[in-house]
Amino acid sequence: MGLPLPPAVPHGSRHDAGSEDRGMNLFSPAPLRLAAVLAAMLAAAASANAQHHDHSAHATQAQDAPKQEDPAHHDHAAMSKAAPTATPTAPREPVPAVTADDLAAAFPVIDHHAMQHAPAFNSKVTFNRLEAWDADEGTGQAWEGVAWFGTDNDRLWLRSEGERVGGHTESADLEVLYGRSVSPWWDVVAGVKHDFKPGHARDWAAFGVQGMAPYRFEVSATAYIGEGGQVAANVEAEYTLRITNRLILQPLVEVDLAAKDDPEYGTARGFTGIETGLRLRYEVTRRFAPYLGVVHERALGDTADLRRAEGEPARDTRVVAGVRIWF
């Protein structure tokens, strides 16, 4: 692209005369070369501008063109919204019909002799205490046991306890009672009691209740009516504290009462005595459990005065060792 050259001036004009006076001619070789250089520079600038315009247009087209999706990346949201595939309405393998052998395998014949209920008549014998200790008069022994025979509602109860010191029996008794269940936790009992010791043997009519009170306290309360209108009572409560599955702590409290003075047997009216004990046993098996314990006995009221008059102590504390068994 070139610039237009100035028109030629005819000779003899006033411009020609002026040019000659300046000593320069426009159509001389030097001005022509200068004009050609300028034209080449302008052409190069126009060509560079055109190339830059082409690159900008290509970049804009590349940005406007949609990007191709990378096959490694999927639109999981679109996939989750895709229509579920149709499930076949019929199973690939039809379910076979149930046969007699299948029914026999699912419902075998039950041996009813292997699933019998517990027998209606049951029994249990328990020696809660078979213990010994070292006393001033020699070795002491004591026992307390209970047995029952019968059904859940009706039972025959046998209860016995006693004490020996230095080879002599200090006290011993046996109770035979009929028990009737009046609630899931309580029985009413009635029967007879026979005292072998102390003093002469004598018999009592017995009436009472026994069972488990709230908070798992085992309670027994029995009233006795003897000869001559003598009335006595005994209340016993114990608690089983399971420290572990085999280690068990058992506290016990027992109180005796009498309605009349009975000097022949060393008792007076009112509270005659109290016994407290704390025994810790270890169940080698559920049926056999050795134990160690501490027992405190104390006569109360006028009964304590009668014992002192006989030269006997009114209280006694001892360490005992024994075993609890049942079968």
Side-chain angles (χ1 to χ4, degrees):
M1 177 179 178
L3 295 176
L5 296 177
V9 179
H11 292 282
S13 64
R14 48 190 313 271
H15 293 286
D16 184 55
S19 300
E20 289 177 356
D21 293 339
R22 290 191 298 271
M24 180 178 177
N25 188 1
L26 293 176
F27 294 94
S28 62
L32 291 177
R33 285 196 301 270
L34 179 59
V37 171
L38 291 174
M41 292 177 63
L42 291 176
S47 177
N49 187 20
Q51 291 181 1
H52 177 72
H53 177 74
D54 293 340
H55 286 296
S56 299
H58 179 71
T60 304
Q61 292 177 0
Q63 291 179 358
D64 295 339
K67 296 183 179 180
Q68 295 183 357
E69 183 179 359
D70 188 356
H73 299 281
H74 301 282
D75 189 354
H76 294 284
M79 292 175 63
S80 62
K81 295 180 180 178
T85 58
T87 57
T89 58
R92 295 182 180 180
E93 296 182 3
V95 178
V98 179
T99 63
D101 294 337
D102 295 334
L103 291 175
F107 303 97
V109 178
I110 298 175
D111 183 7
H112 294 283
H113 295 286
M115 301 181 63
Q116 291 181 354
H117 292 284
F121 187 88
N122 294 282
S123 62
K124 183 180 180 181
V125 178
T126 305
F127 285 95
N128 291 318
R129 297 191 294 274
L130 286 175
E131 60 192 28
W133 66 92
D134 187 16
D136 296 336
E137 298 85 359
T139 303
Q141 301 91 27
W143 74 88
E144 193 272 331
V146 59
W148 61 263
F149 308 88
T151 64
D152 293 339
N153 294 325
D154 301 285
R155 293 178 179 179
L156 174 66
W157 290 85
L158 302 178
R159 301 191 304 202
S160 177
E161 62 180 337
E163 186 176 309
R164 288 173 57 88
V165 179
H168 300 283
T169 302
E170 298 290 335
S171 63
D173 62 60
L174 174 65
E175 298 179 57
V176 181
L177 307 168
Y178 164 73
R180 174 68 180 180
S181 176
V182 294
S183 75
W185 305 106
W186 291 95
D187 290 348
V188 174
V189 296
V192 296
K193 174 186 177 183
H194 181 75
D195 284 341
F196 299 95
K197 292 287 185 177
H200 300 290
R202 57 179 175 174
D203 297 320
W204 305 78
F207 307 91
V209 295
Q210 61 183 14
M212 184 173 292
Y215 303 102
R216 301 182 63 86
F217 284 93
E218 296 183 20
V219 178
S220 172
T222 311
Y224 305 98
I225 302 175
E227 300 175 358
Q230 181 64 274
V231 178
N234 174 270
V235 179
E236 180 179 330
E238 64 182 4
Y239 182 78
T240 300
L241 178 61
R242 194 172 290 275
I243 300 174
T244 67
N245 287 336
R246 296 185 179 272
L247 193 62
I248 298 170
L249 183 66
Q250 190 170 46
L252 177 143
V253 177
E254 184 176 356
V255 179
D256 294 315
L257 302 92
K260 294 174 61 176
D261 294 335
D262 197 351
E264 182 180 356
Y265 293 92
T267 58
R269 183 175 60 181
F271 288 96
T272 60
I274 183 171
E275 177 183 338
T276 59
L278 188 65
R279 295 171 175 85
L280 180 66
R281 71 174 183 264
Y282 181 81
E283 291 186 344
V284 179
T285 66
R286 296 304 181 193
R287 297 172 179 262
F288 179 82
Y291 65 82
L292 293 173
V294 178
V295 178
H296 177 76
E297 289 183 353
R298 180 175 182 178
L300 301 175
D302 295 337
T303 303
D305 297 336
L306 292 175
R307 290 198 177 182
R308 294 189 189 97
E310 294 292 334
E312 298 179 0
R315 64 179 64 186
D316 180 36
T317 302
R318 57 183 181 266
V319 178
V320 299
V323 62
R324 179 182 185 271
I325 58 176
W326 66 269
F327 51 89

